[in-house]
Amino acid sequence: MKLKLKFIIPLAILLAGGYFFYDYYSSAQTKEIPYANFCQLVEAGKVASAKIGEGAIFFESDGMELKTQNPDSPTLKEFLLRNGVQVQTEKSYADIISLALDVLFYGIFFAIIFGVFKKFISPNTFKVVKKTGVKFGDVVGMEDLKRDMAQVMEIMKNPREWQKRGVRMPKGILLEGDPGNGKTLFAKALAGEASVNFIPAKATDFESMFMAIGPLKVKLLFAKARRRAPCIVFIDEFDGIGTRRNYSGSAIETENTRIVTALLNELDGFEPTKGVLVVAATNSVAALDPALIRPGRFDARFKVPYPDAKARVELVQKYTKAKRRADECSDQKLAALFEGFSCSKIESVLNKAALIAAQSSRAEFTLDDVNAAIRAL
């Protein structure tokens, strides 16, 4: 691109300079006569055509190229036309520059608008992850949920076989739980175990400064999922776009209603044999529109709880694998300290404890460091 500009810009300057030089040279070579003589020639019928320029009138009479001053009279053109002269009006340099600037402005304006819309509704808005790199073994706890998903994975891989038995694949699975307990990780693990494509999305992906872009993105997401089936569509922060519809008439509520309606249309448009499963994560089912979560759309709803004692021990072992801890920091003691903590908070506390120990030039963190980290977070 830079190489092309090196040639295009000088060429444009050269052509423009050539045009102005030619115009100036040709004007200088043309004989000029008084305006009164020009009017006499017009009235005598000796001028067939004339070109009205910014400062001069160019015409031909008796085979000679002539010019005269332009008086800038509002009746000049009428005078020439009444005497049968074909009139051509030449744009001034100011008009040409003004037109060029207008074209440049509108070109830049529409290029920006096109770029913005392309960014908002680009096919690359939602990335398709072919391999998540996560399996159920990477997810601590949720054993009941893993068992329930085993059959769903089998149906996803062979939807037609299960259809022959009269069993259709669920259209949607709703995961409810507080932030940080592994809903996103579980969705990735489900796609990894099933060896299917994974398309992650979140509520903010559907937000836009332009009206109607949100519903378009919903259609784009599900169209891509159908093309990449078998596929799992994961929508995080589902309560951010699936909230109860409110017909108050405000712009925000109208856009939310359109997004929810688009979601309903896409979910109802699924066919059992298409192999597309929607997994949505939310912190509050109560905030969702009832039409979205009724049976037939989201057929399964699972609670993702805080890790229990057994899961907390496994999380401690997982997150301290690369860290050094004092003997007093046993798995059981740490797990007891972390009761009521989310998975992500346990990881943050252990990481902070290791940092506190490092700041004191100690290789191992202690229970005091862990307690200090808990207070800090």
Side-chain angles (χ1 to χ4, degrees):
M1 184 66 181
K2 290 182 179 179
L3 186 62
K4 289 182 179 179
L5 287 175
K6 287 181 180 178
F7 291 100
I8 292 174
I9 293 176
L11 181 61
I13 294 172
L14 184 63
L15 290 174
Y19 170 76
F20 287 118
F21 176 77
Y22 169 77
D23 186 64
Y24 173 79
Y25 179 79
S26 60
S27 298
Q29 298 300 312
T30 304
K31 183 180 178 182
E32 185 173 353
I33 66 171
Y35 180 71
N37 292 355
F38 168 70
C39 292
Q40 292 173 359
L41 290 172
V42 170
E43 291 172 344
K46 293 184 178 182
V47 178
S49 63
K51 179 166 53 172
I52 302 175
E54 184 177 9
I57 301 171
F58 300 89
F59 63 97
E60 184 178 338
S61 180
D62 296 329
M64 295 179 61
E65 295 288 340
L66 302 171
K67 69 177 181 179
T68 188
Q69 288 183 334
N70 182 356
D72 290 328
S73 170
T75 61
L76 172 61
K77 190 172 183 179
E78 181 186 359
F79 167 69
L80 295 174
L81 292 172
R82 285 173 56 190
N83 286 277
V85 179
Q86 293 183 352
V87 180
Q88 179 183 356
T89 304
E90 186 182 60
K91 287 188 177 295
S92 66
Y93 294 142
D95 291 338
I96 294 173
I97 292 172
S98 176
L99 178 62
L101 290 175
D102 286 344
V103 171
L104 180 63
F105 170 78
Y106 284 111
I108 294 173
F109 174 77
F110 285 112
I112 292 172
I113 294 297
F114 176 77
V116 169
F117 271 91
K118 185 178 179 182
K119 179 182 178 181
F120 282 138
I121 60 173
S122 168
N124 296 322
T125 301
F126 302 104
K127 301 291 185 182
V128 179
V129 180
K130 294 183 178 179
K131 293 183 179 180
T132 62
V134 182
K135 295 293 183 71
F136 279 162
D138 300 309
V139 180
V140 175
M142 305 188 200
E143 299 306 325
D144 293 338
L145 190 53
K146 293 175 186 176
R147 283 193 296 270
D148 290 334
M149 290 297 101
Q151 190 176 44
V152 173
M153 291 186 293
E154 290 299 320
I155 300 174
M156 280 197 70
K157 293 178 181 178
N158 303 291
R160 295 185 186 277
E161 292 296 324
W162 285 88
Q163 189 184 29
K164 292 176 183 177
R165 305 183 195 181
V167 178
R168 69 169 176 81
M169 189 185 76
K171 291 182 180 179
I173 295 173
L174 193 62
L175 302 178
E176 181 187 13
D178 292 328
N181 278 330
K183 297 186 292 293
T184 302
L185 184 65
F186 180 82
K188 289 181 179 179
L190 180 59
E193 287 286 343
S195 300
V196 298
N197 290 321
F198 180 73
I199 304 180
K202 54 186 180 297
T204 52
D205 291 333
F206 301 94
E207 295 175 355
S208 171
M209 62 187 293
F210 297 103
M211 293 290 287
I213 293 294
L216 279 177
K217 287 188 174 183
V218 171
K219 294 178 181 178
L220 177 68
L221 171 63
F222 285 93
K224 178 174 282 190
R226 289 185 179 94
R227 291 195 303 269
R228 300 302 182 97
C231 175
I232 290 178
V233 175
F234 175 66
I235 306 177
D236 199 6
E237 305 163 0
F238 193 50
D239 45 291
I241 59 170
T243 52
R244 292 174 180 269
R245 285 171 286 183
N246 186 334
Y247 300 95
S248 64
S250 68
I252 294 175
E253 294 298 344
T254 300
E255 183 71 353
N256 176 72
T257 298
R258 289 175 177 170
I259 291 175
V260 172
T261 303
L263 282 167
L264 292 172
N265 291 336
E266 293 299 331
L267 289 169
D268 288 342
F270 279 177
E271 296 178 20
T273 57
K274 290 299 182 182
V276 177
L277 175 66
V278 182
V279 179
T282 179
N283 301 330
S284 174
V285 170
L288 297 173
D289 191 279
L292 273 176
I293 56 177
R294 70 161 175 80
R297 287 175 179 146
F298 282 90
D299 300 298
R301 185 188 302 180
F302 297 99
K303 182 79 174 177
V304 180
Y306 284 98
D308 57 17
K310 180 176 178 295
R312 292 198 299 273
V313 168
E314 293 179 22
L315 287 169
V316 167
Q317 293 171 348
K318 177 180 179 180
Y319 294 139
T320 58
K321 191 174 294 183
K323 298 178 177 66
R324 296 179 64 181
R325 49 179 165 156
D327 293 337
E328 63 180 0
C329 296
S330 66
D331 295 341
Q332 286 71 25
K333 282 185 179 180
L334 291 176
L337 280 175
F338 297 150
E339 184 175 359
F341 285 19
S342 66
C343 302
S344 59
K345 186 172 182 179
I346 292 173
E347 190 278 333
S348 296
V349 168
L350 291 171
N351 187 65
K352 181 70 174 177
L355 284 172
I356 292 172
Q359 289 168 0
S360 301
S361 301
R362 288 182 282 109
E364 299 176 340
F365 67 83
T366 64
L367 282 177
D368 288 339
D369 296 328
V370 174
N371 286 315
I374 292 173
R375 290 192 296 271
L377 296 174

